[in-house]
Amino acid sequence: MEKDLTFYEVTAHYVHESDWTAKFEDVSKHDLQISPFHAFLSSEGEVEISTVRVSSKDALKLLQKVIKSHWKIKRVLFLYPVNDGYPKILRLGVVGDLRDTIRATAYTLGAVADTSLYYEGKELWSILFTQEYGIDGIRRYMEMHGKILDFKVRKIRMQDALCRYEFKDVSILTPRELEILKIAYSEGLFDYPKKNNIEGVAKSIGITKSSFNEVLRKALKKILKAVNESLTG
């Protein structure tokens, strides 16, 4: 019987104690408040864009000091005011070091999509894996760099994952792509370590390795693009 494709969704409520934002943990939210981030990975590092509210010149000086001195921030892209006077609203963009990032670590461990929210010193994460092996790794990483307040894992079938991320059917795939994707999964090509290899599976169904690989890559690219677009809005 053919196995269903399955994703593993990790949701975590987390305090990132080694992050630069932790420097403001004891600062009153009235004096300095950082909005939820918009963040993404780049070749240089993790780019984080946020809105910051400061109530005074002293709060602004504290913000400037932290972003200039914290080891995780490789470069400040911009810091500019939206309004005159105080409280002052600022737009802040920084490039963070990849050695201390949940997102980069998750993708290294096999994640295919993620979404996150930063609010009042806490991070809310949703990370999608294709295999279970990365889940323990991301939990350990979080424990090393902060405090996990809540950590849950649930299985999602491919069809349910597409619905969960606003896709009502698998029409994004051609019949051939869906067939090859199911064969690849049932033959263990997504297992870690792999239970089979592409050349052997392709030969068993009477096509070349390059043909099998081409169709599989197209199918995976469509799914990951669709899921990522849904997560990032």
Side-chain angles (χ1 to χ4, degrees), residues 19-209:
D19 193 66
W20 65 272
T21 56
K23 293 293 184 180
F24 307 115
E25 184 178 354
D26 297 325
V27 178
S28 168
K29 298 298 182 294
H30 172 74
D31 294 329
L32 191 153
Q33 186 169 27
I34 303 172
S35 75
F37 285 160
H38 170 60
F40 56 91
L41 298 176
S42 73
S43 58
E44 186 178 356
E46 183 173 37
V47 179
E48 299 175 346
I49 310 296
S50 62
T51 301
V52 184
R53 176 188 177 278
V54 294
S55 64
S56 64
K57 288 183 179 180
D58 288 340
L60 176 56
K61 288 179 180 178
L62 174 61
L63 173 67
Q64 292 171 325
K65 178 181 178 181
V66 169
I67 63 177
K68 288 180 180 179
S69 63
H70 198 279
W71 72 268
K72 184 182 176 180
I73 295 180
K74 296 176 63 176
R75 185 161 67 95
V76 177
L77 297 173
F78 53 81
L79 176 65
Y80 62 85
V82 175
N83 64 302
D84 296 325
Y86 291 92
K88 190 181 297 293
I89 306 300
L90 304 151
R91 290 290 286 167
L92 171 64
V94 301
V95 179
D97 195 306
L98 291 178
R99 290 174 296 174
D100 185 23
T101 162
I102 301 296
R103 181 169 286 104
T105 303
Y107 280 90
T108 300
L109 292 168
V112 296
D114 77 275
T115 184
S116 64
L117 176 67
Y118 174 86
Y119 184 68
E120 294 188 349
K122 299 179 179 64
E123 299 177 3
L124 301 176
W125 283 93
S126 177
I127 306 172
L128 207 61
F129 290 90
T130 57
Q131 294 293 321
E132 289 183 275
Y133 76 87
I135 296 172
D136 286 340
I138 198 65
R139 181 198 286 271
R140 288 194 298 270
Y141 184 88
M142 286 181 168
E143 289 172 342
M144 288 174 58
H145 293 268
K147 181 190 299 181
I148 297 175
L149 305 179
D150 187 52
F151 191 95
K152 296 178 181 177
V153 181
R154 67 167 181 157
K155 288 184 179 181
I156 308 178
R157 294 183 306 132
M158 181 183 74
Q159 291 87 345
D160 295 335
L162 293 175
C163 292
R164 163 76 172 80
Y165 299 113
E166 300 179 0
F167 293 90
K168 306 305 180 186
D169 54 43
V170 291
S171 60
I172 58 172
L173 303 177
T174 67
R176 183 58 166 167
E177 288 168 349
L178 185 58
E179 177 190 13
I180 292 296
L181 196 61
K182 288 181 175 179
I183 291 172
Y185 186 83
S186 63
E187 292 295 329
L189 293 184
F190 296 121
D191 291 343
Y192 183 82
K194 288 183 180 180
K195 294 179 181 178
N196 216 324
N197 59 68
I198 290 179
E199 186 173 6
V201 174
K203 186 177 180 180
S204 70
I205 62 173
I207 64 174
T208 64
K209 175 183 175 181

Side-chain angles (χ1 to χ4, degrees), residues 202-217:
K203 186 177 180 180
S204 70
I205 62 173
I207 64 174
T208 64
K209 175 183 175 181
S210 59
S211 295
F212 186 98
N213 195 43
E214 181 182 2
V215 177
L216 181 61
R217 288 176 64 86

